[in-house]
Amino acid sequence: MFSREQLYKLGIMAYLTVWYVGSFWLIAAIGSGLFEHTFGIDFIKFQDYLYYALAGAIGGTLYAMRLFHFYYDSLTERWVLWYILRPILCAGTAVMTIVLFESGIMLLEAKESVIAKIGIAFLVGFGYGKVMDKLKTLTETLFNGKDNSTDGDDKSK
């Protein structure tokens, strides 16, 4: 039979594959109007944000699959949780990053097209760790009045 580690590896690969392929399928399904009025929800009103979430999930899943392949022999239970959470966290972060760009809180020179924002959302998902570092710096700057990442002597942390 399969060992626990083999089951983890098989489960993670299946899970990430479902996220990856499923996100592309959902983008196509949403674009075709399959879910226009499902569950009493008018998906057309926030269709673009679904695209951003799915693009972020694709980016995060692609990054996770790459690392899964690279570190296949050193999988631990701690990393199993990381692989499970990665697509979900990347989807949410991609949407909120686009909201921050649209609100003017974060500035980026990009076209106002949905395709450009989908591209940004993908990059947010793929570079999730770096985006979180930037968001932390932005939060420190906005709410503390200074960037604490460059000041190692701050005792108020």
Side-chain angles (χ1 to χ4, degrees):
M1 204 64 188
F2 293 111
S3 70
R4 177 183 282 187
E5 183 179 340
Q6 289 172 324
L7 287 174
Y8 281 155
K9 289 177 180 179
L10 185 60
I12 288 169
M13 197 63 230
Y15 176 77
L16 293 175
T17 301
V18 167
W19 263 102
Y20 191 71
V21 174
S23 294
F24 280 109
W25 183 86
L26 278 170
I27 287 173
I30 291 166
S32 71
L34 183 63
F35 300 114
E36 283 184 8
H37 298 288
T38 306
F39 307 116
I41 300 170
D42 188 7
F43 282 97
I44 294 173
K45 291 185 179 179
F46 59 95
Q47 173 177 329
D48 292 349
Y49 293 100
L50 291 172
Y51 290 146
Y52 307 148
L54 291 167
I58 290 168
T61 303
L62 183 63
Y63 185 81
M65 291 172 101
R66 183 179 146 270
L67 287 185
F68 181 73
H69 175 264
F70 192 74
Y71 294 108
Y72 183 80
D73 293 328
S74 57
L75 180 70
T76 64
E77 288 186 7
R78 177 186 180 277
W79 286 104
V80 170
L81 183 61
W82 184 90
Y83 286 113
I84 291 170
L85 291 176
R86 181 76 184 206
I88 299 164
L89 294 172
C90 291
T93 304
V95 171
M96 292 312 300
T97 301
I98 296 299
V99 168
L100 290 171
F101 286 139
E102 287 179 344
S103 70
I105 293 173
M106 291 178 69
L107 301 176
L108 180 71
E109 287 292 322
K111 292 182 180 178
E112 286 296 317
S113 72
V114 173
I115 294 294
K117 292 176 185 174
I118 288 172
I120 292 167
F122 170 82
L123 293 174
V124 167
F126 193 81
Y128 173 78
K130 291 174 180 61
V131 171
M132 293 309 292
D133 290 342
K134 292 296 181 186
L135 287 175
K136 181 181 178 204
T137 302
L138 175 64
T139 304
E140 290 292 326
T141 301
L142 285 175
F143 299 113
N144 286 343
K146 62 182 174 229
D147 180 358
N148 287 335
S149 65
T150 59
D151 184 14
D153 297 331
D154 185 16
K155 304 290 189 232
S156 65
K157 288 185 183 177

